[in-house]
Amino acid sequence: MKLVEELEEKIRKSAQLILDAKVVVAFTGAGISTESGLKDFRGDYGLWKKFDPYYYANYRVFLERPKLYWTMVKEERYGRDKKVEPNPAHLALAELEVMNRLDCIITQNVDGLHQIAGNKKVIEIHGSSRTSHCMKCKREFSYGEIAAKLELDEITPTCNDCRGVLKSDTVLFGEPLPVEPFNEALWWAESADLMLVIGSSLTVFPAAELPKRVIQRGKKAILINLTETPFDADFDLIFYEKAGKILPFFVKEVRKEIGHTKEQL
Ligand SMILES: [Zn+2]
């Protein structure tokens, strides 16, 4: 078989798995957002060489010197080439949800791009960079409020009410995961008949436990990732491709089938 035909065949099989499953869950990682211009800090990127995230985004370091974290955030923000927006991979997942072929997204990302793309059911197991909280009085601040503070050269943003230090709701290295989202994600991993693993190398735990649970239960799993993962032998179908290239084809195939069914009725 030619390469293109092989790929088409795999896309058809994937669409069939999506159509056959009762509960479909997507599990996404940094790889889905790099196509939107967000840099994966595991990749080779200048900023992360200057600011080692394992140090600058470390929970213990933050508690001692929050200024370091916020300096990194500010530089990252101004270092971007353009506005970060959902890419075709995010939009395809949003479309699958609209077609009732995707029940939930579990994401390791903190960028909020799934919600911007239109997905309603998104579980952020590593928190969110869109909000911050005062560490003293727990008041919430939006990303816009934080950006304004950074703009005003407030190097460590503080609370308007009590001057407490603000912490992004992003889970930092060494910080415990928020319990509720992870438990909810676990529930979905126990319920899924099919998991689409997208843009994750499955090396971060306990996040990687979630696809593992689906596989261990003998359910179906599809991987779309540029590189190999430790669980590749267990996936039903694997695409070492960009998600933005593959997922729109899944949507196209699924729509074709749903269309057929409607005509038959
Ligand atoms: Zn406060």
Side-chain angles (χ1 to χ4, degrees):
M1 246 197 285
K2 279 190 205 148
L3 222 61
V4 179
E5 284 168 8
E6 252 176 60
L7 188 61
E8 281 174 355
E9 180 62 20
K10 269 181 8 184
I11 288 168
R12 266 195 298 277
K13 280 184 184 163
S14 302
Q16 202 52 54
L17 288 181
I18 292 174
L19 288 159
D20 291 344
K22 278 198 199 82
V23 179
V24 183
V25 174
F27 176 88
T28 67
I32 194 170
S33 291
T34 49
E35 293 170 47
S36 285
L38 273 176
K39 315 288 187 204
D40 179 354
F41 58 74
R42 287 186 185 79
D44 191 21
Y45 173 51
L47 186 75
W48 304 142
K49 281 191 177 145
K50 191 172 162 193
F51 298 101
D52 176 2
Y54 294 103
Y55 183 73
Y56 279 78
N58 181 287
Y59 188 52
R60 277 235 192 110
V61 174
F62 180 84
L63 294 179
E64 300 267 321
R65 300 174 69 193
K67 185 180 149 183
L68 294 180
Y69 173 80
W70 287 114
T71 305
M72 176 185 75
V73 168
K74 192 173 173 179
E75 289 236 2
E76 200 273 330
R77 191 174 137 76
Y78 293 113
R80 283 178 202 157
D81 313 331
K82 54 179 193 289
K83 201 168 169 257
V84 176
E85 280 171 348
N87 64 59
H90 295 105
L91 298 174
L93 291 181
E95 236 181 303
L96 283 179
E97 190 186 280
V98 169
M99 291 192 289
N100 278 324
R101 295 320 310 161
L102 178 64
D103 295 278
C104 158
I105 296 177
I106 300 168
T107 188
Q108 298 172 272
N109 300 335
V110 297
D111 51 42
L113 288 174
H114 288 303
Q115 292 92 328
I116 297 170
N119 280 95
K120 300 276 182 276
K121 187 67 197 161
V122 182
I123 303 171
E124 295 170 307
I125 54 173
H126 290 164
S128 167
S129 65
R130 291 180 306 157
T131 51
S132 294
H133 276 86
C134 170
M135 294 186 75
K136 255 198 208 161
C137 75
K138 306 293 172 209
R139 176 174 162 183
E140 186 177 295
F141 290 82
S142 71
Y143 186 72
E145 289 172 295
I146 297 288
K149 284 174 183 289
L150 292 175
E151 208 104 1
L152 286 172
D153 262 347
E154 204 180 312
I155 298 174
T156 303
T158 54
C159 176
N160 303 13
D161 292 341
C162 75
R163 307 308 316 159
V165 168
L166 303 188
K167 188 196 160 288
S168 160
D169 292 340
T170 304
V171 176
L172 302 181
F173 293 105
E175 185 177 0
L177 290 191
V179 175
E180 257 177 59
F182 193 79
N183 283 344
E184 202 189 341
L186 204 56
W187 185 87
W188 281 103
E190 296 291 347
S191 314
D193 299 306
L194 169 67
M195 186 173 261
L196 310 173
V197 176
I198 304 158
S200 175
S201 42
L202 301 181
T203 50
V204 177
F205 283 86
E209 289 293 343
L210 299 165
K212 232 175 107 183
R213 283 305 299 143
V214 177
I215 290 164
Q216 281 169 346
R217 287 170 42 245
K219 302 299 177 182
K220 305 286 183 193
I222 301 173
L223 173 72
I224 308 175
N225 195 47
L226 284 176
T227 55
E228 291 177 6
T229 81
F231 312 116
D232 283 12
D234 302 315
F235 282 96
D236 296 277
L237 290 157
I238 295 183
F239 299 83
Y240 295 122
E241 304 270 0
K242 284 185 174 178
K245 180 182 162 192
I246 299 301
L247 281 174
F249 285 112
F250 281 18
V251 171
K252 214 173 144 191
E253 279 299 315
V254 168
R255 197 191 291 119
K256 245 199 260 172
E257 284 307 313
I258 290 178
H260 276 308
T261 324
K262 268 185 194 157
E263 279 162 33
Q264 282 160 6
L265 292 171

